[in-house]
């Protein structure tokens, strides 16, 4: 087992553990912190796949901006005084069972694929490749994807206006 | 790494997000689980973008996958700003962030 495989398994275990802790934490602030840990380990995966730009953007935008927004809202609401009402135990069990069945189906699809491609598996090349570098990504973004990029700014403007209109006191 | 490991990881992450949306009542945590699902999709897109070996003809094969991750992040940021505004309004009207009380916003 090479060093990349070891790093992959450690990062995967970290990702899944912190993702589960997001669900089971009682305090919403702890959930936010575990989600930040999840994003950091996903960024580790991006670095391993040589997608440095996306790794940095993931840390800055998700773990930085979006999670701080979540924290602001949680602090604003002062939720810690009253506990979250318990959902019906049967509802919880049903949710876990339906999610587990989804996982089961998808994993069995992956296993079937793994068996069929036994001799010539598709390899996600780690630690090599140029496509994740900001030079190449920026070039393609501003030539081939210039129109979607500009449409994103319109989307952001409308989201900003919408958030202000919804959040306004009337 | 063979691609099926990345697919299995992303699928598991997505299922954890689905379970979170189904079992939690706190609207903020439901929202965070949606972010978790988006990140699972992002991870899968990046992993698939690296399955194209670079050749001299197409040195940037697979770069579209990473650009789509970029756009998904943009849309997620816009979605979070509007969604959190809705949650703040829900809290202001009902003094709770329980998703079961969302129907009280009707009037």
């Amino acid at each position: 087992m090479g060093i990349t495989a070891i790093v992959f398994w450690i990062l995967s275990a970290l990702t899944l553990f912190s993702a589960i802790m997001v669900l089971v934490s009682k305090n919403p602030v702890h959930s936010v912190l575990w989600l930040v840990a999840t994003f950091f380990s996903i960024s580790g995966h991006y670095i391993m796949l040589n997608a440095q730009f996306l790794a940095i953007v993931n840390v800055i935008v998700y773990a930085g901006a979006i999670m701080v927004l979540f924290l602001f809202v949680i602090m604003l609401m002062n939720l810690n005084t009253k506990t979250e009402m318990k959902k019906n135990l049967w509802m919880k069990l049903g949710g876990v069972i339906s999610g587990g069945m989804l996982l089961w189906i998808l994993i069995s699809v992956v296993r079937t694929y793994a068996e069929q491609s036994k001799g010539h598996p598709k390899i996600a090349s780690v630690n090599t490749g140029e496509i994740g570098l900001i030079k190449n990504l920026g070039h393609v973004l501003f030539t081939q994807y210039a129109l979607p990029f500009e449409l994103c700014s319109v989307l952001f403007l409308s989201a900003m206006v919408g958030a202000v209109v919804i959040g306004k006191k009337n | 790494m063979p691609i099926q490991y990345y697919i299995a990881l992303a699928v598991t992450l997505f299922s954890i997000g689905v379970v979170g949306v189904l079992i939690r009542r706190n609207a903020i945590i439901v929202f965070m689980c949606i972010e978790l699902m988006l990140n699972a999709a992002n991870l899968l897109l990046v992993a698939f973008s690296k399955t194209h070996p670079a050749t001299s003809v197409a040195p940037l094969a697979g770069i579209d996958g990473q650009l789509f991750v970029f756009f998904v992040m943009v849309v997620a940021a816009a979605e979070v700003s509007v969604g959190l505004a809705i949650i703040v309004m829900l809290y202001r009207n009902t003094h709770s962030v329980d998703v079961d009380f969302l129907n009280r916003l009707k009037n």
Side-chain angles (χ1 to χ4, degrees):
Chain A
M1 200 154 75
I3 185 92
T4 48
I6 295 171
V7 173
F8 174 83
W9 288 115
I10 290 175
L11 278 175
S12 303
L14 213 62
T15 310
L16 293 179
F17 175 71
S18 32
I20 289 172
M21 287 306 286
V22 172
L23 299 196
V24 299
S25 298
K26 288 270 174 278
N27 192 339
V29 177
H30 293 171
S31 285
V32 170
L33 294 178
W34 280 114
L35 197 56
V36 170
T38 314
F39 289 156
F40 267 95
S41 43
I42 288 176
S43 283
H45 277 293
Y46 289 166
I47 289 174
M48 232 177 67
L49 286 164
N50 233 22
Q52 285 107 339
F53 174 66
L54 284 180
I56 296 299
V57 167
N58 201 42
V59 168
I60 293 175
V61 173
Y62 263 116
I66 293 181
M67 286 301 114
V68 168
L69 206 63
F70 271 102
L71 273 181
F72 265 133
V73 171
I74 290 172
M75 301 289 181
L76 209 67
M77 288 180 185
N78 194 18
L79 289 174
N80 298 335
T81 50
K82 43 179 172 276
T83 53
E84 182 185 346
M85 266 199 290
K86 283 279 166 291
K87 210 163 188 168
N88 190 349
L89 191 67
W90 288 107
M91 292 280 281
K92 262 188 180 170
L93 199 66
V96 172
I97 287 174
S98 25
M101 278 164 75
L102 176 71
L103 178 66
W104 186 22
I105 290 171
L106 292 173
I107 286 286
S108 67
V109 170
V110 176
R111 285 189 58 188
T112 312
Y113 164 74
E115 275 170 23
Q116 282 182 351
S117 67
K118 205 144 220 163
H120 44 86
K122 272 233 182 265
I123 301 290
S125 52
V126 290
N127 293 329
T128 55
E130 299 271 297
I131 64 172
L133 306 184
I134 189 166
K135 181 182 156 216
N136 300 325
L137 273 175
H139 186 255
V140 176
L141 182 65
F142 287 117
T143 53
Q144 204 180 335
Y145 285 87
L147 181 65
F149 181 73
E150 296 298 334
L151 286 178
C152 280
S153 60
V154 180
L155 175 73
F156 263 129
L157 181 67
S158 55
M160 196 169 72
V161 172
V164 170
V165 168
I166 292 171
K168 204 175 55 181
K169 260 200 182 97
N170 50 352
Chain B
M1 297 294 294
I3 188 71
Q4 57 256 32
Y5 292 126
Y6 280 105
I7 304 176
L9 172 65
V11 157
T12 315
L13 211 56
F14 189 88
S15 303
I16 291 172
V18 169
V19 170
V21 169
L22 289 177
I23 68 172
R24 293 301 297 254
R25 289 178 74 170
N26 190 333
I28 295 175
I29 299 193
V30 169
F31 224 61
M32 285 196 267
C33 292
I34 292 173
E35 296 299 312
L36 213 56
M37 288 193 265
L38 282 170
N39 263 278
N42 281 352
L43 181 62
L44 203 54
L45 277 171
V46 174
F48 276 133
S49 83
K50 299 294 290 185
T51 54
H52 302 279
T55 58
S56 57
V57 184
L60 297 181
I63 200 168
D64 308 72
Q66 302 207 1
L67 277 167
F68 269 89
V69 172
F70 186 70
F71 287 120
V72 168
M73 282 179 184
V74 167
V75 172
E79 170 237 339
V80 161
S81 62
V82 175
L84 284 177
I86 291 174
I87 290 177
V88 168
M89 191 182 61
L90 174 72
Y91 183 71
R92 205 181 281 151
N93 283 331
T94 66
H95 295 285
S96 152
V97 287
D98 199 321
V99 283
D100 292 354
F101 294 158
L102 268 175
N103 57 355
R104 290 190 194 171
L105 287 178
K106 256 189 294 193
N107 36 23

